[in-house]
Every structure is written in structure tokens, then in C-alpha cells.
Amino acid sequence: MATQADGKTPNLSQQEQQDVDENQPPRAAVLHEIIRTQGDQELERNVAALWWSALAAGLTMGLSLMAMGLLNSRLPDGEGFKVIASFGYCAGFLAVILARQQLFTENTLTAVLPVMSKPTLANAGRLLRLWSVVLVGNLCGTLLVAYVMLHLPIFDTRTDHAFLEIGRKIMENHPGQMFAKGIVSGWMIATMVWMIPSMESAKMWIIILITYLMALGDFTHIVVGSAEVSYLVFAGELPWKDFWLVFAGPTLAGNIIGGSFIFALISHAQIRSEGSLPGRKAADPRHPPQINKKQ
């Protein structure tokens, strides 16, 4: 096929050229701005709205523990069947993210970008307020759902034992492993958040892919893991001290570092570097990025 001197295909109509432009993947700067704007909107929300959404997310994340326990209790023993049961881990993330509820590890990326773009004490204070409210709300929700799942006559004995085994598996890690696996988990969630705006139509499959890999790798996540480990506490198998010092503290630190100080920082640095390149085109004001607001 013949081409013009500038490399473009000749004889394209204006409509055809517009179709080409519209089918181009968004630049990294566009994705950065979408996520930064979403983060700025989250920072503006009042405490009550953040709290109730975070509490709902914590309760909803109990679906991951429930789904994994049900699958494990109904599948034969063996590593091959554990691969299938790991799909249950995706359930809570799918429900929380598609329902636009407040999940702490999402905010380790979205809410950090506005602070990196405009590093002021006021923005840092807004970020700490958001993180504190969402984290406490998430943990209250997961602890409540774990208590209810244990003490109400909902599941059979085999399923109850499966819930305990899930928590025991996590607690086989020492604090250093909790921290290291938490870094990977935070980075994976941040990657998912970055991917979704460019592939909105494939959002469900992106969530399933990332969270399923998290389950297969036994990577630690502060929110869903708190439901799994607190089940052991409420069953009398684990003291609260180990919940906080062995699991929660190291995992939370790892999630924050993986999601914020690694992924968000590198992604922000990439955009800042692009901004210094000569000849960089400004965003087209006729096609502003589409923002998906949380309800």
C-alpha cells in the first residue's frame, strides 16, 4: 500500500482519520490525569461518606473469604484443586470495585497522585484523613463479617474448617514475608487501577486476572487478609497481638510501599519526564478524559 512522505496512509477521508484518532490508546499522561482527578475527588469527600463506603467495602470483602472457603470445602484435596479454589479470592474485589466502594489499596494510588502533583501540607493532610477513615472503615467491616461468619449458624462444619485453614495458611508467613508479599500485592492493585481507565470495557477481566494471580501467589492484602486472619482470632486460635504485629502491621506497610511509593511514584515520574520532552503535544481540549465518579 502506498504511503505519503510523512508515513501516513493516503486518501483517508476526514471521518476515517477521526476513526483512527479515536481508536488510539490513551497516552500515559491521559491515564495519569484520569486517576489524579479521581483521587482529587476522593480527597474532597466528607468523612461520613468515606466511612460508610469503606465500611460497606469491608463487609463486601468478606465475599472473598466466603467464596474460597466454600470452594475449598467442596473440592477434593490436592494442589490442582487449590488452583480452582483461588478464583474465590476475586469475588470480594469484583463486588467492591464494580460497586465503587472505598477500598484502601485503591486509594494508595489514586489519592497519592494529587499529592505528588501538588505536594503541600494541606494535600498531605487530606491524604492522611482519607487513608485513616477508609482503613478503619475497611477493617471494621472485615472484622464484623468474620465474627458473623464464625458465630452464626450459616456454614457447615467442613466449610468452617476451610475458613480456618485459609487463615492458618496466611499465618505461616513471618513478618518479613508479610511485608515483602504486601509490597507485591500493593503494586499489583496499583497496576490494576492504572489499567482500568484504558480498558473500561474489560474491567471485570482485569480485576479477575490481577486478583487471581494475587491468590495464586499467596500475596498478602490488608483488607481481605484481615477477614481471613481475624477469623482465627475469633475462633481462639490466634491472639490479637499476632494479628496486629505479625499480619496487619507488616502487610499494611508493604501495601502502602508497593502501591504508593513504588508504582505511583514511578508512574508520576514518567509523566513529569514526558512533560520536559520537546515537541510534546498538549491534551486536546475537545476530548477531555472521561472520569468515573464513585457514587
Side-chain angles (χ1 to χ4, degrees):
M1 180 181 292
T3 59
Q4 297 175 342
D6 60 2
K8 294 183 178 179
T9 304
N11 303 322
L12 289 180
S13 67
Q14 184 177 359
Q15 180 61 47
E16 288 170 335
Q17 185 60 49
Q18 183 178 347
D19 291 341
V20 172
D21 294 338
E22 289 178 352
N23 282 280
Q24 293 299 314
R27 294 188 302 111
V30 176
L31 298 178
H32 180 281
E33 180 61 15
I34 291 173
I35 297 170
R36 189 203 64 78
T37 305
Q38 289 175 341
D40 202 49
Q41 291 170 348
E42 297 305 319
L43 291 173
E44 290 296 325
R45 299 185 71 183
N46 63 54
V47 171
L50 290 172
W51 163 258
W52 290 114
S53 183
L55 180 64
L59 294 170
T60 304
M61 286 304 293
L63 288 174
S64 289
L65 174 60
M66 185 185 304
M68 285 192 296
L70 290 170
L71 288 171
N72 276 310
S73 66
R74 283 153 178 77
L75 289 170
D77 293 332
E79 287 301 315
F81 293 104
K82 299 299 181 185
V83 172
I84 299 174
S86 294
F87 274 109
Y89 192 82
C90 308
F93 287 96
L94 275 169
V96 166
I97 296 172
L98 294 180
R100 306 299 295 170
Q101 294 171 346
Q102 290 285 345
L103 181 63
F104 177 76
T105 45
E106 273 192 289
N107 289 313
T108 58
L109 175 64
T110 56
V112 160
L113 290 186
V115 180
M116 290 183 175
S117 299
K118 189 177 180 181
T120 64
L121 287 177
N123 276 343
R126 292 198 303 162
L127 176 64
L128 292 176
R129 178 190 71 111
L130 173 72
W131 278 7
S132 300
V133 174
V134 172
L135 178 61
V136 172
N138 284 170
L139 292 180
C140 287
T142 53
L143 296 182
L144 178 59
V145 77
Y147 183 87
V148 169
M149 288 171 62
L150 175 67
H151 289 287
L152 291 187
I154 302 172
F155 304 102
D156 55 34
T157 302
R158 185 179 177 88
T159 304
D160 289 336
H161 288 162
F163 293 148
L164 291 171
E165 285 300 320
I166 292 170
R168 292 168 186 155
K169 177 70 174 176
I170 294 177
M171 294 307 296
E172 290 176 2
N173 297 298
H174 57 70
Q177 290 174 308
M178 297 283 193
F179 175 71
K181 291 183 176 183
I183 292 176
V184 178
S185 178
W187 170 75
M188 292 177 74
I189 292 293
T191 302
M192 178 184 70
V193 173
W194 190 267
M195 291 170 63
I196 286 175
S198 64
M199 295 289 290
E200 190 70 30
S201 60
K203 176 189 288 189
M204 184 178 74
W205 301 111
I206 293 172
I207 297 170
I208 291 173
L209 171 64
I210 297 297
T211 56
Y212 178 60
L213 291 176
M214 287 170 58
L216 284 181
D218 292 324
F219 301 122
T220 52
H221 185 274
I222 182 59
V223 180
V224 66
S226 64
E228 298 164 343
V229 177
S230 65
Y231 194 93
L232 288 180
V233 176
F234 293 129
E237 291 196 12
L238 188 75
W240 280 111
K241 181 182 71 173
D242 287 352
F243 174 89
W244 294 111
L245 298 182
V246 178
F247 164 72
T251 299
L252 175 62
N255 287 169
I256 291 175
I257 290 174
S260 299
F261 299 116
I262 293 181
F263 192 94
L265 182 60
I266 292 174
S267 300
H268 181 69
Q270 171 195 353
I271 304 307
R272 291 293 297 269
S273 299
E274 284 184 356
S276 64
L277 293 176
R280 179 177 177 268
K281 294 181 180 179
D284 188 345
R286 295 171 298 176
H287 302 287
Q290 299 298 311
I291 308 300
N292 293 319
K293 297 181 180 180
K294 282 191 173 104
Q295 300 300 319

